Amino acid sequence: MLSDEKKILEIGLWLYSIDKLKEDFIDRLDLNTAKATAADAAHGAANGANEEIGNLGYLSEEEKQAAIEKIENERKAAQEKIDAATSADVAKTESGGGISKISDILTEAKAADEVAKAEQLAEAKKKLEDKHAEVLEAIKNTTYLSDEDKETLKNEADSSLEAILKNLDGVKNSGDIATVVRDGEKLLDGKKSKVEFCDNEARMEQGNEAGTALDKKKEEIFAAIDALEYLTDEERAALRAEVEAAGEAANGKINEALSSEEIAQGISTAPLPAQRFNR
């Protein structure tokens, strides 16, 4: 009878051991599943953060890489803690902690990107405004343009700067900013060249007009000399020579003139009015 009871007890213990092994196996299986899920979540957060950082438009490649390395370190640290977890809850907690730290790094990178954007836009704006100032200085230094011409050129430069700065509103990365600055500086350099060209054209036009006026004045004086009745041919020739010399001197001053005012002064040194020879 006792022998039967012993057998029954042994069977019971055996069945209990089997149930315990089964429970332990299920627990280990559940823990491994929980660890895999926790690890996948941490890896997914890291990969997503790395992609977002890679797409930031204003941080340098070195700055992006530094942030990505921080994320990788947090991912590894989270993985080690997940691997060492003794329960599903611990694995989940360690995964959440790693994800939180990864999120903090991503937030810092985004904030740094915004700062970099603001700095780059400010620098770009200053470069363009400095280039615009060069155009205005060129206009100020012109010596042959009228005030109306200067105002027209200034308005063109102002409009160009306004349009260029507006283009900065649509940039998405550092490359876009560089393109706007490059194209903008090229456009404003063209405006500066136009100012210099217009001033030179005005100089040539005013010089030609002065030369024409001087020739007309000389012809009037020559006619007056020829009309004098009591001069000898030698006296007429001497007077004509005097007028020619005065005309050449005036032409010289016109050619060397550095402003509209100096061109006008060149005209004022031209031969005396024909009345001088009325006698």
Side-chain angles (χ1 to χ4, degrees), residues 11-274:
I11 291 171
L13 291 172
W14 180 72
L15 291 174
Y16 173 80
S17 297
I18 291 176
D19 288 339
K20 183 63 176 175
L21 288 172
K22 182 179 178 182
E23 289 177 3
D24 290 344
F25 175 75
I26 292 174
D27 287 344
R28 285 195 300 273
L29 183 62
D30 289 344
L31 179 58
N32 289 337
T33 300
K35 286 183 176 182
T37 300
D40 286 345
H43 290 316
N47 292 338
N50 287 340
E51 183 176 358
E52 286 194 57
I53 290 173
N55 290 332
L56 293 176
Y58 303 95
L59 291 182
S60 67
E61 291 304 317
E62 292 76 11
E63 290 169 326
K64 290 181 183 180
Q65 189 58 42
I68 289 173
E69 287 178 2
K70 287 182 180 179
I71 288 174
E72 180 62 16
N73 290 336
E74 291 301 335
R75 184 197 66 76
K76 288 180 179 179
Q79 181 66 61
E80 290 175 359
K81 292 178 181 179
I82 291 169
D83 290 341
T86 57
S87 70
D89 288 341
V90 172
K92 185 176 180 180
T93 298
E94 297 299 350
S95 176
I99 291 172
S100 178
K101 291 179 180 179
I102 289 170
S103 178
D104 289 343
I105 295 171
L106 176 59
T107 298
E108 291 175 1
K110 287 181 176 180
D113 194 60
E114 287 298 319
V115 172
K117 177 182 180 180
E119 291 175 347
Q120 291 170 30
L121 284 173
E123 182 180 355
K125 183 177 179 182
K126 184 178 185 307
K127 285 183 178 179
L128 293 167
E129 288 176 342
D130 287 347
K131 185 65 68 172
H132 172 258
E134 290 180 14
V135 181
L136 297 187
E137 186 66 17
I139 293 172
K140 179 182 176 182
N141 291 334
T142 58
T143 51
Y144 301 98
L145 295 179
S146 67
D147 290 340
E148 183 180 354
D149 290 336
K150 291 180 181 181
E151 187 64 23
T152 297
L153 291 170
K154 179 182 181 301
N155 289 339
E156 286 186 15
D158 291 345
S159 296
S160 294
L161 177 64
E162 183 179 354
I164 294 166
L165 293 179
K166 189 173 182 180
N167 289 338
L168 286 176
D169 294 339
V171 298
K172 298 185 181 302
N173 52 53
S174 299
D176 288 348
I177 291 178
T179 297
V180 171
V181 171
R182 183 192 66 230
D183 293 347
E185 288 184 329
K186 183 178 180 180
L187 177 60
L188 291 171
D189 279 336
K191 296 298 180 183
K192 182 179 179 182
S193 296
K194 180 179 179 180
V195 170
E196 295 167 351
F197 174 80
C198 288
D199 196 45
N200 188 56
E201 285 289 296
R203 179 188 185 283
M204 293 177 62
E205 182 178 348
Q206 292 170 28
N208 290 337
E209 290 175 354
T212 299
L214 182 60
D215 288 341
K216 182 178 179 181
K217 194 172 185 180
K218 283 169 55 179
E219 292 303 320
E220 290 174 355
I221 296 174
F222 288 154
I225 292 172
D226 291 341
L228 295 175
E229 299 178 3
Y230 304 104
L231 293 182
T232 65
D233 290 342
E234 290 78 8
E235 288 174 326
R236 285 192 176 90
L239 288 173
R240 291 179 70 91
E242 181 183 343
V243 172
E244 287 288 1
E248 289 180 7
N251 263 323
K253 289 188 177 182
I254 291 171
N255 292 333
E256 295 173 0
L258 300 177
S259 67
S260 299
E261 290 75 13
E262 291 186 9
I263 289 178
Q265 290 172 6
I267 291 291
S268 70
T269 63
L272 295 175

